[in-house]
């Protein structure tokens, strides 16, 4: 019986995985741009959300670590209740807008598709699965090598097949829209221009395409497609409809002239109009352009010209602006500084990447923190003051150094031991409970309850 040299098989695998393949196109063209009102921030859980708050959450990147931490925060919001006009309300049902990146996108998408179903089976379906081992096993499956040779089937398509079959069960964005939950913005990076790309109908209209028919699994795979480890996911920029820009794009753009950040965002939108120069859009991990998932809110409000214009789109002036940032970023102890040995190439690449992401996170947080205070001030009137709450949840705020180090040294992967998953879920709950800003929010809500009861 013939036998195979394992080294030859591994070499063949690396060659196959390193080859350039034609990206699989699955976004569908439309002849007329679709109405964005079906996917907007004003929709809510069957109309049950109150109008007195704008509630935004961002779920960061960080593999299963980020997914589990985010899930813990959702559980705590589910279990936090208050009374509004005689009706008991869960804080989770008050969430208007969820923006996610990479690992956080698994949790956001699952909640977007299944609502409270996430609390029934998400742990067994994803958090406690060794997804990484399964994907590696797919790479070493000779059947997939042959598919790669003849069909362009690559590691990313293997991941999408697994996510679609075992996690999201064929779900599309139409399924999310029909559930009428929070506005969901899954973010990836447009590799060609180095800009954030969101899976929304507004963005798909620029491609003359329908986000509703797009598979959630493919969007999550794009949001978490770490470069080199996974091939980019490709969309076609169709030339099948009359290009009509969003309302903010067609409005007075004078406020963009002296702001290089906003001018760059405008240039990114304009690039999709170049159907001949950019017929295909290649997407990779959203963490490259925003690992916290908070730029989507900041960009949206600022592009509209400020909070007053944004509120016109929401058709309500909130009494509270609540922003929860779930940040699974780690700061592991670095043994390279304790030795004179020259750091390895892998250590150098990892450290450079972490430093860049960390510094960009700091800038993003600073922008949003300055922005939300300004937005609240602009919306406030003598009769209706708008109170802002900025709730930042991260491992760095854990007071116990030993506990903090445990979380900071957890891996960024799609597989974690059950005990680490347990710790992360509980950490998400505990971080929210212990947040001073969150406690201030609850106290203000309870004061409103007391006023209602006294009337």
């Amino acid at each position: 019986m013939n036998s195979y040299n394992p080294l030859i098989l591994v070499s063949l695998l690396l060659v196959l995985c390193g080859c350039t393949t034609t990206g699989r196109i699955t976004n569908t063209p439309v002849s007329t741009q679709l109405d964005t009102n079906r996917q907007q921030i004003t929709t809510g859980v069957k109309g049950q959300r109150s109008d007195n708050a704008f509630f935004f959450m961002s779920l960061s990147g960080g593999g299963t670590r980020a997914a589990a931490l985010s899930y813990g925060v959702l559980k705590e919001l589910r279990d936090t209740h208050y009374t509004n006009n005689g009706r008991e309300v869960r804080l989770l049902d008050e969430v208007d807008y969820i923006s996610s990146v990479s690992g956080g996108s698994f949790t956001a998408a699952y909640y977007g598709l299944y609502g409270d179903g996430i609390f029934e089976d998400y742990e067994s379906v994803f958090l406690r699965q060794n997804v990484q081992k399964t994907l590696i096993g797919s790479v070493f499956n000779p059947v997939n090598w042959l598919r790669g040779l003849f069909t362009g089937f690559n590691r990313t398509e293997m991941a999408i097949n697994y996510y679609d079959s075992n996690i999201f069960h064929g779900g599309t964005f139409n399924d999310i829209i029909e559930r009428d939950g929070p506005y969901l913005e899954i973010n990836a990076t447009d590799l060609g221009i180095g800009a954030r790309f969101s899976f929304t109908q507004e963005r798909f209209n620029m491609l003359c395409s329908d986000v509703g028919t797009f598979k959630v699994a493919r969007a999550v795979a794009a949001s978490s497609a770490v470069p080199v480890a996974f091939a980019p996911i490709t969309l076609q920029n169709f030339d099948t409809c009359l290009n009509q820009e969003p309302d903010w794009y067609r409005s007075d753009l004078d406020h963009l002239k002296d702001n290089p950040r906003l001018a760059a965002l405008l240039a990114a939108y304009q690039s999709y109009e170049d159907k001949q120069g950019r017929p295909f859009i290649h997407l990779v991990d959203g963490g490259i352009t925003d690992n916290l998932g908070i730029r989507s809110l900041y960009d949206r409000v600022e592009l509209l010209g400020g909070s007053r214009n944004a509120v016109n789109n929401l058709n309500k002036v909130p009494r509270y602006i609540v922003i929860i940032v779930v940040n699974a970023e780690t700061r592991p102890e670095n043994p390279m500084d304790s030795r004179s040995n020259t750091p390895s190439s892998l250590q150098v690449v990892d450290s450079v990447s972490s430093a860049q992401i960390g510094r960009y996170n700091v800038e993003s947080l600073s922008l949003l923190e300055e922005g939300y205070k300004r937005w609240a001030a602009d919306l406030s009137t003598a009769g209706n003051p708008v109170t802002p709450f900025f709730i930042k949840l991260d491992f760095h705020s854990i007071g116990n150094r030993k506990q903090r180090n445990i979380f900071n040294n957890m891996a960024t992967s799609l597989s974690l031991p059950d005990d680490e998953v347990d710790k992360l879920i509980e950490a998400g709950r505990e971080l929210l409970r212990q947040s001073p800003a969150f406690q201030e929010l609850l106290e203000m809500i309870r004061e409103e309850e007391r006023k209602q009861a006294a009337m």
Side-chain angles (χ1 to χ4, degrees), residues 107-120:
T107 301
Y110 205 87
Y111 181 62
L113 279 170
Y114 304 116
D116 277 6
I118 192 173
F119 305 117
E120 298 173 5

Side-chain angles (χ1 to χ4, degrees), residues 365-406:
L365 285 168
S366 297
L367 274 176
L368 187 59
E369 194 156 12
E370 179 275 329
Y372 92 104
K373 292 177 181 177
R374 173 165 41 84
W375 303 338
D378 290 345
L379 290 174
S380 293
T381 63
N384 183 38
V386 177
T387 307
F389 296 90
F390 195 29
I391 302 167
K392 294 182 288 185
L393 310 178
D394 54 48
F395 301 134
H396 321 316
S397 59
I398 297 175
N400 185 293
R401 181 177 178 182
K402 183 178 179 181
Q403 290 295 317
R404 187 170 64 248
N405 286 343
I406 290 174

Side-chain angles (χ1 to χ4, degrees), residues 194-420:
R196 181 174 54 81
F197 183 96
S198 301
F199 287 88
T200 64
Q201 188 56 57
E202 179 181 277
R203 189 64 61 101
F204 266 56
N205 272 344
M206 304 297 287
L207 308 181
C208 293
S209 190
D210 179 8
V211 76
T213 60
F214 200 77
K215 288 285 188 75
V216 172
R218 189 166 288 271
V220 172
S223 182
S224 57
V226 178
V228 181
F230 292 98
I233 286 175
T234 303
L235 305 178
Q236 187 161 347
N237 188 8
F238 295 106
D239 189 13
T240 56
C241 68
L242 177 63
N243 205 66
Q244 295 181 345
E245 295 83 4
D247 291 339
W248 64 261
Y249 189 107
R250 296 194 298 269
S251 64
D252 181 9
L253 299 179
D254 286 343
H255 65 285
L256 305 185
K257 293 178 180 178
D258 298 323
N259 190 322
R261 289 191 185 92
L262 299 183
L265 290 173
L266 180 61
Y269 268 92
Q270 290 173 327
S271 74
Y272 298 112
E273 298 177 353
D274 184 6
K275 305 295 184 178
Q276 292 185 337
R278 303 198 71 208
F280 300 101
I281 309 302
H282 303 287
L283 305 176
V284 294
D285 195 318
I288 295 173
T289 45
D290 176 18
N291 199 48
L292 294 178
I294 59 180
R295 292 272 182 161
S296 62
L297 174 64
Y298 181 84
D299 294 346
R300 181 178 293 274
V301 175
E302 294 302 306
L303 282 170
L304 283 167
S307 55
R308 286 234 161 253
N309 289 340
V311 163
N312 289 337
N313 281 21
L314 291 173
N315 297 318
K316 65 179 181 180
V317 177
R319 293 189 62 186
Y320 315 116
I321 296 177
V322 182
I323 297 174
I324 297 181
V325 178
V326 185
N327 180 7
E329 178 189 7
T330 58
R331 296 177 184 173
E333 295 179 347
N334 200 339
M336 75 167 65
D337 294 336
S338 63
R339 298 191 298 268
S340 63
N341 302 41
T342 301
S344 68
S345 298
L346 184 60
Q347 286 177 311
V348 171
V349 170
D350 183 58
S351 295
V352 169
S353 175
S354 297
Q356 291 175 329
I357 289 175
R359 289 183 179 277
Y360 195 68
N361 284 351
V362 170
E363 186 199 5
S364 295
L365 285 168
S366 297
L367 274 176
L368 187 59
E369 194 156 12
E370 179 275 329
Y372 92 104
K373 292 177 181 177
R374 173 165 41 84
W375 303 338
D378 290 345
L379 290 174
S380 293
T381 63
N384 183 38
V386 177
T387 307
F389 296 90
F390 195 29
I391 302 167
K392 294 182 288 185
L393 310 178
D394 54 48
F395 301 134
H396 321 316
S397 59
I398 297 175
N400 185 293
R401 181 177 178 182
K402 183 178 179 181
Q403 290 295 317
R404 187 170 64 248
N405 286 343
I406 290 174
F407 291 109
N408 276 324
N409 285 282
M410 287 184 180
T412 301
S413 70
L414 291 179
S415 171
L416 290 176
D418 282 349
D419 66 315
E420 292 191 0

Side-chain angles (χ1 to χ4, degrees), residues 27-256:
N27 63 308
T28 55
V30 294
S31 57
T32 304
Q33 288 188 342
L34 301 179
D35 186 1
T36 59
N37 287 335
R38 64 193 184 123
Q39 185 194 26
Q40 60 175 340
I41 300 171
T42 52
T43 61
V45 185
K46 302 304 178 187
Q48 294 301 305
R49 281 204 314 271
S50 60
D51 290 336
N52 64 348
F54 172 72
F55 206 128
F56 168 85
M57 286 186 69
S58 71
L59 311 183
S60 81
T64 299
R65 184 183 69 242
L69 185 69
S70 300
Y71 174 67
V73 175
L74 292 183
K75 291 188 77 172
E76 187 63 23
L77 288 172
R78 176 201 63 184
D79 295 339
T80 304
H81 297 75
Y82 72 98
T83 302
N84 183 26
N85 294 322
R87 180 172 61 90
E88 188 173 2
V89 180
R90 308 182 310 173
L91 267 188
L92 179 60
D93 294 330
E94 294 296 297
V95 176
D96 295 277
Y97 184 159
I98 299 177
S99 173
S100 67
V101 179
S102 199
S105 290
F106 286 92
T107 301
Y110 205 87
Y111 181 62
L113 279 170
Y114 304 116
D116 277 6
I118 192 173
F119 305 117
E120 298 173 5
D121 58 11
Y122 183 57
E123 292 185 44
S124 60
V125 167
F126 177 68
L127 293 180
R128 301 185 190 278
Q129 291 292 325
N130 193 335
V131 177
Q132 191 151 302
K133 181 180 178 180
T134 301
L135 296 181
I136 291 173
S138 298
V139 171
F140 280 89
N141 186 338
V143 173
N144 289 333
W145 302 354
L146 294 175
R147 293 180 71 182
L149 280 174
F150 299 108
T151 67
F153 190 73
N154 56 31
R155 284 166 290 182
T156 300
E157 293 299 326
M158 295 176 201
I160 292 169
N161 280 2
Y162 178 84
Y163 301 160
D164 194 45
S165 299
N166 297 283
I167 303 174
F168 302 114
H169 307 294
T172 66
F173 279 89
N174 272 335
D175 296 317
I176 291 177
I177 295 167
E178 289 170 6
R179 199 188 72 78
D180 199 23
Y183 176 87
L184 179 61
E185 195 156 349
I186 295 174
N187 298 287
T189 296
D190 183 335
L191 191 60
I193 58 175
R196 181 174 54 81
F197 183 96
S198 301
F199 287 88
T200 64
Q201 188 56 57
E202 179 181 277
R203 189 64 61 101
F204 266 56
N205 272 344
M206 304 297 287
L207 308 181
C208 293
S209 190
D210 179 8
V211 76
T213 60
F214 200 77
K215 288 285 188 75
V216 172
R218 189 166 288 271
V220 172
S223 182
S224 57
V226 178
V228 181
F230 292 98
I233 286 175
T234 303
L235 305 178
Q236 187 161 347
N237 188 8
F238 295 106
D239 189 13
T240 56
C241 68
L242 177 63
N243 205 66
Q244 295 181 345
E245 295 83 4
D247 291 339
W248 64 261
Y249 189 107
R250 296 194 298 269
S251 64
D252 181 9
L253 299 179
D254 286 343
H255 65 285
L256 305 185

